[in-house]
Amino acid sequence: MKKKLTYLIMAIIVFASCNSDDDAVVNPSGEPDAITKNVVLNEIRYQGTDLIEIFNQGDQEADISEYWLCLGPGTYEQIGALTPESGSTTIPAGGYLVLSYDLPDTNGGLGLYRTNSFTDVTAIVDFVQYGSSGSAREDVAVAAGIWTAGEFVPTITNAENSIVFDGDGKGAANWAETSTVTFGQENMLTVPELRRSVVLNEVQYGNKNLVELYNNGNTPIDLSTYWLCLGPSTYVQIGTLTPESGTIELNPGEFLVLPYDMPDNEGGLGLYSTNEFTNAEAIVDFVQWGATGSAREDVAVAAGIWTAGEFVSTVALDSFSIEYDGEGDAASDWSEEVNPSLGASNDVQNPTTRFNVTIKNTINYLNVHTFTTPVGASGPGPLATYGAQYVISFKAVPGTKFSPVTMMGNSNDWFLAPTDTDGIDLFPNGTALNGVDIASQLSLYDLGTEADGDPSTFPSAGTNVGPADANTSVRLVPGRDTGDIYMTAVLNYANGDGNSAGTFTLTITAINTPNPGMATSQNNGFVITPGLIVLHAQSNPLFTLGEVDRGVGLERIAEDGMPGTLYNWFTETGSQGTPLRLSSSLTPFSPAFIYAFNTDRDPWFTQGEATKAANGLEEIAEDGNRMIAYNYLKDFGIPVALSVENGPVGPGGSFTFTIEVPQGQDYKLGFGTMFVKSNDWFISNNNVGLTLFNADGSPFSGNSISSNTYLYDAGTEEDQPVGFGSNQVMNQGSANTGPADANTSIRRVSSLEDVQFGKGTINSAPGVTWSGDPRGGYNLVEINIQPQ
């Protein structure tokens, strides 16, 4: 009777625990012993015939007849109540127990427990979750430190397959589907062919570090438990990465693009279904570039998905990718791609935008001087008596135009300036004007700012006091002869020292002063007022016939004989203290070329480094030869173009180009032209290039990118004074003449001594060259980009 009562009590206890399986029951024996910890779930088949294999990986036998299997509330079995398919519930060291146990076909979480306290973290021994996360016992396994929250083994692709444990570690990464079922034996991983339908499709290992995977099968594949591996300690599980595009649950015919750091020159990338990186059955795909012998090459060769010793050539530029052709497993099935198509088919053709590009030589204003104080006078004033003179000296070189301007002081707004609005050539036919009176080349103009013929509003009445002119256009004063009836203006010239320009001296002499016995009027002689001379390279430096005054200071001369405002406009400086309008030098540009690049940095040259061998920079910077550089960049496969114009261009001239550029590839513009009056200076973009596409992908339009153009020293030849070096291209006997530069690095020209026009040293730390740059600079060039 006592024995029967004992059995009844035990049955009640078991019944109670089985019907309240989510009530936490503290395990009185504490943590599992070493034997318990060595018992693991080892292989599971949950479709077709459901089987569970438990493995004793310890060195002592383990009696697990009192253990439990649990899927969740109401779905559990004590192991001793089950009939083994093979093995015994007392599992010898290294032995297996195989049990029949009903499991859900698509997703579930199976726990192995040493008691039926299914919510007790000290009771759970092992756990595996498949198909999806969030099964009933996942939180218990996570709390016990034997599973990672949210992880799961992908659903099997074939009902005959099983999932197997790799024998080391916890979590989904340690499980994989196999098509070789080995219940009761050591596990064997054979990756199902369906899993191999995922391929490495494109790899951009340079400046982007992106890997594209493609599902060329007909079934979706969850890649969260797959791995990318370059070698020991350089691997990552795909589920931990944030895709650049696509989804980790990869549908047939779709692409997944993942970020992954890779070596720039040589490496071997493997795609694995598990983290068994030396297992040929676990590797799914492989590609090797740059050299043979990468860490996982032998695994790929053993798996039959690569040929020993083969590799894909390193890409020419770091923006390029390598692409798979969709057939075969050899290096020949991969090729370099100039315009990566990550996230799209490898045979996609990028649409292009055609750009018209203009590079203009904007050199114009070269220096400005005022004449204000008559010879022998103690202060500024007009030339009001016969023979009175202004004398002024200035430096200039061939190609310079000269425009003096002075007011007719007995007028409202009339002024003398060159008849030819191009200016007066100081070196006609290459010979300096010397002992030449240029007064006959001057004419009298009406500025159109003040009504004419009222002596009461002439300058002596005060500044800017007359009524406005009804005709506001600048025009010649009718019925007036040239300036030689009012003055003489003789230019004399003295040669320079061979390292700097010669000097002109202009002497202005009054010869038709007013008759003091007559009333002041526009017809009583000519009062010569303080004025200004401009040295320039382009037409219309001061005004344009038929147009209104520009409002920059000529009115103050024409109405009041005060040149200071216009002088200040010409000599204004920018934010870095460098001229806004005065150009540093007078030089043509050599024939130019342009190119578009999708690298982060310019592929032609790098500031701070020596010029690259065979890139043509030395040839263009020293001798104006663009073809070597053009062909060097063309060989990369990027867009390159030559200008329509074959010869050099001087101030006001332009090079024009047309270039087709792929969209969606972050292309920038580069260019090169020689600063001809130098040994090895060139004008180009900064190393990140000039904008071709806006942030939204639309084509850029305009000239504002000119602010990113600079004057560079190529570091290949020793520098000589601008325009006067015997080893400069216009003076040397043959190409590539001159001693090497002690500083071989390519650097911006941060200061320039103007020996052509005597402006002294111009300091421009960044070497700015755009004439519209608010920083001020050398004022040489403008780049205009117009999409078609």
Side-chain angles (χ1 to χ4, degrees):
M1 183 68 180
K2 184 175 181 180
K3 187 175 181 180
K4 290 182 180 179
L5 180 59
T6 300
Y7 288 158
L8 179 60
I9 293 172
M10 290 177 62
I12 292 173
I13 291 172
V14 169
F15 178 81
S17 65
C18 291
N19 285 279
S20 59
D21 61 294
D22 281 332
D23 294 333
V25 178
V26 177
N27 182 5
S29 61
E31 289 291 325
D33 57 26
I35 294 176
T36 300
K37 289 181 178 179
N38 283 325
V39 177
V40 296
L41 297 168
N42 199 52
E43 184 173 4
I44 296 173
R45 184 168 61 193
Y46 51 84
Q47 293 182 10
T49 302
D50 295 351
L51 293 174
I52 296 172
E53 178 186 80
I54 300 171
F55 174 55
N56 180 0
Q57 58 185 6
D59 56 6
Q60 301 178 52
E61 68 176 23
D63 180 1
I64 64 168
S65 59
E66 302 292 323
Y67 284 33
W68 295 75
L69 296 171
C70 180
L71 289 160
T75 51
Y76 43 79
E77 290 278 358
Q78 191 171 34
I79 288 175
L82 300 174
T83 301
E85 292 288 320
S86 66
S88 166
T89 56
T90 299
I91 310 174
Y96 301 88
L97 169 63
V98 180
L99 300 169
S100 176
Y101 184 63
D102 286 340
L103 297 162
D105 287 347
T106 56
N107 58 283
L110 177 66
L112 174 64
Y113 287 80
R114 64 194 184 99
T115 75
N116 63 347
S117 301
F118 300 127
T119 59
D120 184 354
V121 298
T122 66
I124 193 167
V125 173
D126 202 7
F127 179 80
V128 63
Q129 180 170 249
Y130 57 89
S132 65
S133 61
S135 62
R137 300 303 177 213
E138 178 186 8
D139 58 341
V140 183
V142 170
I146 60 174
W147 197 257
T148 301
E151 286 190 358
F152 58 90
V153 186
T155 303
I156 56 176
T157 58
N158 187 304
E160 298 301 315
N161 296 344
S162 64
I163 58 174
V164 291
F165 177 53
D166 66 9
D168 183 22
K170 305 294 182 181
N174 302 103
W175 288 81
E177 179 182 3
T178 182
S179 58
T180 301
V181 177
T182 57
F183 286 102
Q185 304 175 51
E186 182 179 355
N187 290 342
M188 180 177 296
L189 176 62
T190 304
V191 179
E193 285 304 314
L194 180 59
R195 293 290 187 197
R196 294 193 188 276
S197 66
V198 178
V199 296
L200 296 166
N201 200 53
E202 185 171 4
V203 179
Q204 189 175 22
Y205 52 78
N207 64 353
K208 298 294 185 183
N209 283 310
L210 295 173
V211 176
E212 179 189 79
L213 304 178
Y214 175 60
N215 184 347
N216 61 10
N218 54 19
T219 301
I221 298 178
D222 182 358
L223 297 175
S224 59
T225 58
Y226 279 49
W227 294 75
L228 296 172
C229 178
L230 289 158
S233 302
T234 52
Y235 46 80
V236 66
Q237 190 172 29
I238 289 176
T240 66
L241 300 175
T242 301
E244 288 281 320
S245 66
T247 60
I248 292 177
E249 178 73 32
L250 190 60
N251 289 319
E254 292 189 352
F255 303 89
L256 170 63
V257 180
L258 299 167
Y260 183 53
D261 286 341
M262 293 169 284
D264 290 346
N265 298 314
E266 56 186 65
L269 177 65
L271 173 66
Y272 286 80
S273 62
T274 74
N275 61 350
E276 295 182 74
F277 301 127
T278 60
N279 187 344
E281 291 296 336
I283 194 168
V284 175
D285 204 5
F286 179 80
V287 63
Q288 180 170 252
W289 65 89
T292 187
S294 63
R296 300 306 179 210
E297 179 186 7
D298 59 340
V299 184
V301 171
I305 59 174
W306 197 255
T307 302
E310 287 191 353
F311 60 92
V312 187
S313 297
T314 303
V315 293
L317 295 178
D318 65 5
S319 60
F320 298 174
S321 67
I322 53 174
E323 288 185 339
Y324 177 53
D325 66 7
E327 298 181 6
D329 293 304
S332 59
D333 295 299
W334 289 80
S335 60
E336 178 181 83
E337 175 54 54
V338 174
N339 298 300
S341 56
L342 295 154
S345 174
N346 288 347
D347 58 4
V348 67
Q349 294 296 315
N350 290 81
T352 62
T353 296
R354 174 176 293 180
F355 291 94
N356 287 342
V357 178
T358 302
I359 300 176
K360 183 177 182 180
N361 183 332
T362 60
I363 294 169
N364 191 8
Y365 306 124
L366 298 161
N367 211 348
V368 59
H369 303 272
T370 60
F371 48 89
T372 59
T373 302
V375 174
S378 60
L383 304 184
T385 61
Y386 184 87
Q389 294 181 324
Y390 293 119
V391 178
I392 185 169
S393 296
F394 55 89
K395 290 182 177 294
V397 294
T400 308
K401 300 298 180 65
F402 164 68
S403 290
V405 58
T406 182
M407 179 192 185
M408 179 180 179
N410 48 322
S411 73
N412 289 91
D413 62 347
W414 293 358
F415 64 96
L416 273 179
T419 306
D420 185 345
T421 56
D422 284 347
I424 298 168
D425 188 352
L426 288 171
F427 292 84
N429 300 314
T431 301
L433 294 176
N434 189 16
V436 176
D437 186 350
I438 53 92
S440 62
Q441 299 183 53
L442 306 178
S443 292
L444 192 61
Y445 294 88
D446 185 333
L447 190 62
T449 57
E450 192 171 300
D452 299 323
D454 180 8
S456 67
T457 57
F458 285 177
S460 55
T463 58
N464 197 29
V465 295
D469 196 329
N471 182 351
T472 59
S473 62
V474 181
R475 60 210 184 261
L476 286 165
V477 177
R480 298 280 178 160
D481 292 324
T482 53
D484 53 340
I485 66 170
Y486 309 120
M487 66 170 67
T488 62
V490 179
L491 279 170
N492 289 295
Y493 178 73
N495 288 320
D497 61 5
N499 290 311
S500 63
T503 301
F504 288 91
T505 299
L506 174 66
T507 303
I508 298 173
T509 305
I511 61 172
N512 189 356
T513 53
N515 183 343
M518 295 176 59
T520 301
S521 76
Q522 294 172 173
N523 297 311
N524 182 11
F526 192 103
V527 176
I528 303 170
T529 69
L532 172 148
I533 64 169
V534 182
L535 304 176
H536 59 97
Q538 298 186 44
S539 302
N540 304 309
L542 298 168
F543 61 90
T544 303
L545 274 176
E547 296 184 6
V548 299
D549 175 50
R550 296 172 185 173
V552 297
L554 182 56
E555 181 179 3
R556 297 302 301 277
I557 295 177
E559 290 185 7
D560 307 306
M562 302 174 67
T565 300
L566 184 56
Y567 176 85
N568 290 338
W569 181 82
F570 277 120
T571 58
E572 185 180 358
T573 58
S575 60
Q576 64 175 2
T578 311
L580 281 173
R581 299 179 183 91
L582 294 180
S583 296
S584 65
S585 313
L586 179 58
T587 182
F589 297 161
S590 71
F593 76 108
I594 64 172
Y595 52 100
F597 59 94
N598 55 0
T599 51
D600 292 336
R601 307 293 292 178
D602 194 314
W604 186 36
F605 72 96
T606 300
Q607 183 179 330
E609 297 181 2
T611 182
K612 303 171 187 174
N615 71 349
L617 179 58
E618 180 176 3
E619 287 78 5
I620 199 169
E622 289 187 11
D623 302 306
N625 177 4
R626 62 183 174 175
M627 293 310 300
I628 297 173
Y630 169 81
N631 288 321
Y632 172 81
L633 290 165
K634 184 180 179 182
D635 287 346
F636 286 128
I638 61 177
V640 188
L642 298 174
S643 58
V644 174
E645 299 76 16
N646 292 321
V649 298
S654 297
F655 295 115
T656 55
F657 308 82
T658 299
I659 190 168
E660 291 272 353
V661 182
Q663 299 170 13
Q665 294 289 318
D666 192 29
Y667 271 99
K668 286 82 61 176
L669 182 72
F671 76 96
T673 182
M674 181 188 183
F675 180 98
V676 170
K677 294 297 182 78
S678 74
N679 293 82
D680 62 346
W681 292 359
F682 66 102
I683 302 171
S684 189
N685 46 280
N686 64 5
N687 278 162
V688 297
L690 306 179
T691 300
L692 282 174
F693 295 95
N694 299 312
D696 63 359
S698 62
F700 174 84
S701 174
N703 65 0
S704 61
I705 44 79
S706 302
S707 61
N708 292 326
T709 63
Y710 302 91
L711 181 61
Y712 290 94
D713 186 330
T716 58
E717 189 172 305
E718 187 178 84
D719 296 325
Q720 297 172 308
V722 173
F724 290 93
S726 60
N727 296 318
Q728 292 173 0
V729 65
M730 65 284 178
N731 301 326
Q732 66 190 11
S734 60
N736 195 28
T737 301
D741 196 329
N743 181 352
T744 60
S745 64
I746 301 167
R747 68 263 189 199
R748 294 182 188 176
V749 177
S750 58
S751 67
L752 178 159
E753 184 180 359
D754 177 14
V755 296
Q756 294 179 310
F757 300 95
K759 294 193 292 292
T761 300
I762 300 170
N763 293 305
S764 175
V768 177
T769 60
W770 180 34
S771 55
D773 198 307
R775 292 172 290 182
Y778 298 136
N779 300 314
L780 305 173
V781 72
E782 178 182 88
I783 313 297
N784 192 279
I785 297 174
Q786 295 297 330
Q788 299 304 298

